[in-house]
Amino acid sequence: MFIIDAGHGGEKTGAVGRYSQEKDITLKIAKIVGILAELEEIENRLTRTQDIEPEWKDRVVSNAEDIFVSIHCNGASAKNVKGISTFHYPNSEKGKELATEVKNELIKRIDTKNRGVKQADFYVLRETKCPAVLVECGFITNLNEENKLNTLEYQCKVAVSIIEAIKKIKERIG
């Protein structure tokens, strides 16, 4: 199962830009990823399909053979910070492989700063039983990136990048 987590939701807006909220952008991208997964005949589940805040424990329900991707937009107090990054749980080799593949696919399609693959002790990475990655698709606090994050073209580029990475990982790990 490919688990697609649209970060935040409901009262938890996530990062906020000049005119948009992270929770709305992540849900749009997650839905596109879900559609692409269906087209590729990849069994998948979205942790949310509407503007609600799922329970943390419900977000991370998984089995060892699953793949988990949590989609986010970054934020910073400095308005010129930009770029994409991916995170995996420390010492998770499969998570690191997944994070690297997603980052590589994003860099192929999106012209922005490569902020790299990083380790983090985020709940959704720590509590899943499978390889997991958290994807920061851009900085919503950077007006140029916020504008891009709100376009269907950019959202599709992110979604295609995630699906291409998942296909490559699935080929390797079965």
Side-chain angles (χ1 to χ4, degrees):
M1 175 75 66
F2 172 31
I3 303 163
I4 307 160
D5 178 49
H8 306 284
E11 296 296 314
K12 305 288 187 194
T13 61
V16 177
R18 188 173 290 175
Y19 65 90
S20 57
Q21 298 176 337
E22 178 179 6
K23 68 176 184 168
D24 299 322
I25 295 168
T26 62
L27 183 57
K28 289 175 184 176
I29 294 170
K31 286 180 175 181
I32 297 167
V33 173
I35 291 167
L36 294 176
E38 290 293 324
L39 292 171
E40 292 287 343
E41 299 181 357
I42 299 171
E43 184 181 4
N44 69 89
R45 173 177 62 85
L46 275 71
T47 60
R48 67 182 182 99
T49 57
Q50 54 189 342
D51 186 18
I52 60 166
E53 182 186 354
E55 292 289 326
W56 282 106
K57 63 179 178 48
D58 296 334
R59 277 194 138 109
V60 297
V61 172
S62 58
N63 296 308
E65 64 275 2
D66 295 334
I67 296 174
F68 182 94
V69 175
S70 189
I71 301 167
H72 291 264
C73 302
N74 220 332
S77 55
K79 304 299 181 201
N80 63 336
V81 178
K82 66 179 186 174
I84 58 155
S85 54
T86 57
F87 293 84
H88 65 90
Y89 189 67
N91 301 318
S92 170
E93 286 306 312
K94 288 183 180 179
K96 181 179 181 180
E97 181 181 1
L98 176 60
T100 301
E101 201 61 62
V102 172
K103 186 264 309 170
N104 290 343
E105 291 295 326
L106 286 164
I107 292 302
K108 281 184 194 177
R109 291 172 182 82
I110 297 172
D111 181 28
T112 191
K113 182 176 181 174
N114 175 359
R115 301 184 69 83
V117 175
K118 303 172 183 184
Q119 296 181 18
D121 187 28
F122 298 139
Y123 183 90
V124 293
L125 300 178
R126 180 180 64 246
E127 298 299 322
T128 51
K129 297 177 183 170
C130 59
V133 62
L134 186 141
V135 182
E136 294 284 6
C137 303
F139 280 79
I140 196 170
T141 50
N142 175 310
L143 185 56
N144 186 43
E145 285 202 347
E146 179 182 20
N147 288 337
K148 289 178 184 177
L149 284 161
N150 279 285
T151 66
L152 181 59
E153 178 185 7
Y154 191 92
Q155 293 165 7
C156 286
K157 285 180 181 181
V158 171
V160 166
S161 298
I162 292 169
I163 287 297
E164 288 302 313
I166 295 303
K167 287 170 36 181
K168 288 178 180 179
I169 291 295
K170 286 181 81 53
E171 286 175 13
R172 279 185 257 177
I173 64 174

